[in-house]
């Protein structure tokens, strides 16, 4: 009875709101059809994606380490059971300012056997300073990208150059969605990727390692079988990471100790070289002082010899002058004697003259008186 009443009310409700019922019916039908289409296309999408991944040799596992990854680490992972290929790679995030807008670029090295790039325009970079850019970015071929570091480090601490010339544009199987990931610099979101030759990086160790699982290509990506196969190999790789981490730590400690020893040795060598240089300089200064002293002594000897010659010459001159003085003194004394005799003779002659002068005056006067008398 209750069922009949419920059914009757249901139909009555539909008749009263027939338009609303039809709308809801079509909406539900559309949702079911859309969901059915997606569910029906899922295998095809998986197959298409898997074919693209296989063609591009997309990695199955990515491994990173805070201490970096060495070639020995790559070789050790390559020997793990179930690993088909293992290859090291480099990558780093940098900033670029274009048209007053800041972009965060994920610069990564081109790989030989995995994650192959699909070139849409131009070509792959071949030498340091060249790059291929993300196809979704607005960089043009021939354009130069000036990189800046978003940290206290310099770009040239990681790369050999901070300028990259765009020679191609393309896509990477590593990025299958519009999102390019997050970062710790700039806006926090990666704007796009940039591919460069491995030799562009100036690092001692890899920043990451990519692994392909043997037999994974035979399975469709994202399926349970694929995930289980990859997970099994991943656990085996993780099992050796602790040992590899210890080895890497010891290598770094040995390297640090070796570097410290080299620094100490370099400081000691520098101190020894400085001591040798200082001693050599002091020896050269002492030799110079001895040479200068010998020169001064030689000059002093020459001056003494010259002085002796001058003294001898002066003495000879003095003797000659003394003789001349003695001769002059003798001549002077003779002259004084002659002067005394001449004076005496003069006085005698003057006395005779005076006496004769008086007598002559008397005669003259007597004569003048006689003359006057005669005239008269």
């Amino acid at each position: 009875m209750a069922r009949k009443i419920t059914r009757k009310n249901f139909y009555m409700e539909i008749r009263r709101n027939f338009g609303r019922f039809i709308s809801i019916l079509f909406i539900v039908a559309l949702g079911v059809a859309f969901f059915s289409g997606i569910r029906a296309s899922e295998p095809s999408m998986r197959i298409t994606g898997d074919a693209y991944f296989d063609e591009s040799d997309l990695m199955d596992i990515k491994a990173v380490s805070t201490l970096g990854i060495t070639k020995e680490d790559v070789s050790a992972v390559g020997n793990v059971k179930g690993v088909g290929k293992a290859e090291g790679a480099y990558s780093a995030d940098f900033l670029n300012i274009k048209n007053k807008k800041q972009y965060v670029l994920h610069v990564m090295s081109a790989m030989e056997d995995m994650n192959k790039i699909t070139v849409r325009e131009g070509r792959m970079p071949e030498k340091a300073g060249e790059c291929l850019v993300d196809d979704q970015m607005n960089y043009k071929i021939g354009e130069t990208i000036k990189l800046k570091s978003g940290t206290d480090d310099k770009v040239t601490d990681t790369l050999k150059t901070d300028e990259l010339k765009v020679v191609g544009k393309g896509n990477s199987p590593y990025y299958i969605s519009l999102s390019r990931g997050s970062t710790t610099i700039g806006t926090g979101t990666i704007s796009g990727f940039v591919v460069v030759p491995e030799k562009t990086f100036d690092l001692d160790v890899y920043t990451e390692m990519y692994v392909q699982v043997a037999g994974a290509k035979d399975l469709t990506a994202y399926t349970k079988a694929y995930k289980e196969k990859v997970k099994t190999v991943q656990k085996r790789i993780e099992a050796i990471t602790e040992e590899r981490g210890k080895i890497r730590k010891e290598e770094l400690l040995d390297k640090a100790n070796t570097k410290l020893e080299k620094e100490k040795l370099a400081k000691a060598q520098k101190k020894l070289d400085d001591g040798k240089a200082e001693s050599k300089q002091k020896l050269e200064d002492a030799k110079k002082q001895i040479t200068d002293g010998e020169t001064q002594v030689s000059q002093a000897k020459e001056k003494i010899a010259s002085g002796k010659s001058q003294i001898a010459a002066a003495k000879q001159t003095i003797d000659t002058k003394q003789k001349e003085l003695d001769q002059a003194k003798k001549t002077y004394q003779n002259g004084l004697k002659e002067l005394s005799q001449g004076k005496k003779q003069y006085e005698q002659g003057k006395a005779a003259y005076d006496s004769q002068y008086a007598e002559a005056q008397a005669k003259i006067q007597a004569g003048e008186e006689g003359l006057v008398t005669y005239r008269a």
Side-chain angles (χ1 to χ4, degrees):
M1 184 68 180
R3 290 183 179 179
K4 290 181 179 180
I5 294 173
T6 302
R7 191 180 295 110
K8 185 177 181 181
N9 289 335
F10 175 72
Y11 288 123
M12 289 176 63
E13 191 68 27
I14 291 175
R15 284 196 295 270
R16 283 197 299 265
N17 301 282
F18 186 73
R20 183 182 298 177
F21 172 76
I22 292 299
S23 298
I24 294 173
L25 178 64
F26 280 119
I27 291 173
V28 173
L30 182 63
V32 171
F34 185 72
F35 178 74
S36 300
I38 291 177
R39 292 293 294 177
S41 63
E42 179 185 359
S44 298
M45 293 176 65
R46 282 186 177 181
I47 293 171
T48 302
D50 185 69
Y52 172 62
F53 297 152
D54 292 344
E55 183 182 355
S56 303
D57 285 316
L58 180 64
M59 56 81 193
D60 296 309
I61 300 172
K62 176 182 178 181
V64 295
S65 172
T66 54
L67 301 179
I69 297 173
T70 64
K71 292 181 179 179
E72 290 75 15
D73 293 332
V74 176
S75 179
V77 171
N79 292 328
V80 171
K81 183 179 179 181
V83 172
K85 294 178 183 177
E87 186 175 349
Y90 303 95
S91 70
D93 296 337
F94 298 101
L95 302 177
N96 174 246
I97 307 298
K98 181 180 180 182
N99 298 328
K100 298 182 180 180
K101 185 176 180 181
Q102 185 184 85
Y103 295 93
V104 182
L105 303 179
H106 182 68
V107 180
M108 57 187 186
S109 61
M111 301 183 66
E112 294 183 5
D113 299 323
M114 280 182 263
N115 302 342
K116 294 179 180 178
I117 303 298
T118 302
V119 180
R120 189 187 65 82
E121 182 181 356
R123 60 175 174 83
M124 285 291 290
E126 298 173 352
K127 59 183 180 180
E130 294 183 343
C131 71
L132 178 142
V133 297
D134 193 340
D135 193 28
Q136 79 170 19
M137 300 198 70
N138 296 322
Y139 291 106
K140 298 179 180 179
I141 292 179
E143 185 175 351
T144 298
I145 300 175
K146 177 72 174 179
L147 299 177
K148 291 185 177 181
S149 176
T151 63
D152 295 333
D153 298 330
K154 298 179 181 178
V155 175
T156 49
D157 291 338
T158 304
L159 303 179
K160 293 179 180 178
T161 177
D162 60 356
E163 290 188 351
L164 301 175
K165 183 180 180 182
V166 179
V167 296
K169 301 180 71 173
N171 300 295
S172 169
Y174 190 75
Y175 296 101
I176 57 174
S177 65
L178 295 177
S179 175
R180 294 300 187 248
S182 59
T183 181
T184 58
I185 64 173
T187 61
T189 302
I190 296 176
S191 306
F193 66 84
V194 174
V195 181
V196 298
E198 184 177 292
K199 54 189 174 184
T200 303
F201 282 85
D202 191 18
L203 298 174
D204 296 330
V205 293
Y206 297 117
T207 57
E208 61 241 23
M209 173 172 52
Y210 295 100
V211 178
Q212 282 186 342
V213 176
K217 277 189 177 183
D218 299 332
L219 302 174
T220 304
Y222 304 112
T223 60
K224 184 178 180 181
Y226 170 81
K227 291 179 180 179
E228 288 180 352
K229 190 172 188 65
V230 171
K231 190 173 182 179
T232 300
V233 176
Q234 182 177 336
K235 287 180 179 180
R236 292 172 184 165
I237 294 173
E238 290 173 350
I240 69 168
T241 56
E242 184 176 355
E243 180 184 356
R244 294 307 308 172
K246 289 180 180 179
I247 294 173
R248 177 59 179 156
K249 185 178 180 181
E250 290 176 0
E251 287 178 353
L252 290 175
L253 288 174
D254 291 341
K255 188 176 181 180
N257 291 331
T258 302
K259 184 178 180 181
L260 184 62
E261 291 296 329
K262 286 183 178 179
E263 288 177 353
K264 288 182 179 179
L265 183 61
K267 287 181 180 179
Q269 186 65 43
K270 186 178 184 302
K271 190 174 181 180
L272 178 61
D273 293 340
D274 292 342
K276 285 182 179 180
E278 185 179 357
S279 299
K280 185 178 180 181
Q281 186 62 44
K282 286 182 178 179
L283 182 61
E284 289 179 354
D285 292 341
K287 285 182 179 180
K288 187 176 184 300
Q289 289 178 355
I290 292 172
T291 303
D292 293 343
E294 290 176 347
T295 302
Q296 291 176 359
V297 170
S298 177
Q299 291 175 349
K301 286 181 179 180
E302 290 178 359
K303 286 182 179 180
I304 290 172
S306 177
K308 286 181 178 180
S309 299
Q310 291 176 0
I311 289 172
K315 188 176 181 181
Q316 186 177 0
T317 302
I318 289 172
D319 292 341
T320 302
K321 295 299 180 183
Q322 185 64 46
K323 290 179 181 179
E324 290 178 355
L325 180 61
D326 292 342
Q327 183 65 35
K329 187 176 180 182
K330 186 176 180 181
T331 303
Y332 170 72
Q333 289 175 348
N334 292 333
L336 284 177
K337 188 176 180 181
E338 290 177 358
L339 179 62
S340 178
Q341 291 176 354
K343 186 177 180 182
K344 188 175 180 182
Q345 291 175 359
Y346 169 74
E347 289 176 350
Q348 290 175 355
K350 186 178 180 184
Y353 170 77
D354 289 340
S355 63
Q356 290 177 3
Y357 179 75
E359 185 178 350
Q361 284 292 333
K363 287 180 180 182
I364 289 171
Q365 188 175 2
E368 285 179 349
E369 289 177 355
L371 180 60
V372 173
T373 302
Y374 174 75
R375 284 180 180 175

